[in-house]
C-alpha cells in the first residue's frame, strides 16, 4: 500500500471505516425519518403497510446499483429486505396507532 508503518496504515484504514460507518448510520436515520412519514401517510389513508410491487422494483434497482458499485447484489438484496422488514413493522405500528 505505502511505505508507512503498517500499524499506522491499519489505524488510518480503520479511521476511514469508522467515518463511513458514521455516515451510514446518519443516512439510515434519515431514511427512517422518511419512511416514518410514509407510514403515517399510509395509516391516515388506510393504505397497506407493505407494497410488494414497489419492493420488487427496489430490489431490482438496488441489485443493479450493487453490480455497478462492485458490491455483491445478494448482499444488497439482503440488506434491503432487512431494512424493509423494519419499515413494515413501523408502518404496521402506525396503522395500529402505536
Amino acid at each position: 500500500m505505502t511505505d508507512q508503518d503498517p500499524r499506522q496504515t491499519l489505524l488510518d484504514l480503520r479511521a476511514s471505516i469508522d467515518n463511513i460507518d458514521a455516515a451510514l448510520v446518519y443516512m439510515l436515520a434519515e431514511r427512517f425519518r422518511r419512511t416514518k412519514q410514509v407510514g403515517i401517510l399510509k395509516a391516515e389513508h388506510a393504505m397497506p403497510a407493505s407494497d410488494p410491487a414497489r419492493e420488487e422494483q427496489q430490489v431490482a434497482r438496488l441489485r443493479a446499483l450493487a453490480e455497478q458499485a462492485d458490491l455483491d447484489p445478494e448482499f444488497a438484496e439482503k440488506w434491503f429486505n432487512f431494512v424493509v422488514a423494519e419499515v413494515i413493522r413501523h408502518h404496521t405500528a402506525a396503522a395500529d396507532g402505536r
Side-chain angles (χ1 to χ4, degrees):
M1 294 182 89
T2 66
D3 291 334
Q4 186 177 11
D5 173 50
R7 290 175 298 246
Q8 185 59 51
T9 301
L10 179 61
L11 291 173
D12 293 345
L13 289 168
R14 286 179 173 166
S16 178
I17 290 167
D18 291 349
N19 287 337
I20 293 166
D21 288 345
L24 287 169
V25 166
Y26 279 91
M27 292 297 295
L28 279 171
E30 186 63 24
R31 187 185 196 288
F32 276 99
R33 280 190 281 280
R34 295 295 178 257
T35 59
K36 182 178 180 179
Q37 292 173 320
V38 169
I40 292 167
L41 181 69
K42 285 180 171 186
E44 289 173 347
H45 298 280
M47 300 164 103
S50 161
D51 184 346
R54 162 89 171 146
E55 293 161 25
E56 187 178 315
Q57 291 170 345
Q58 285 298 92
V59 166
R61 179 176 142 322
L62 291 174
R63 287 183 68 90
L65 286 170
E67 287 180 15
Q68 292 170 12
D70 197 25
L71 179 69
D72 180 4
E74 290 293 320
F75 173 78
E77 184 172 349
K78 287 177 189 176
W79 169 83
F80 179 73
N81 289 333
F82 176 77
V83 169
V84 166
E86 186 67 8
V87 167
I88 291 170
R89 189 178 71 77
H90 292 174
H91 289 184
T92 302
D96 292 344
R98 292 182 269 145

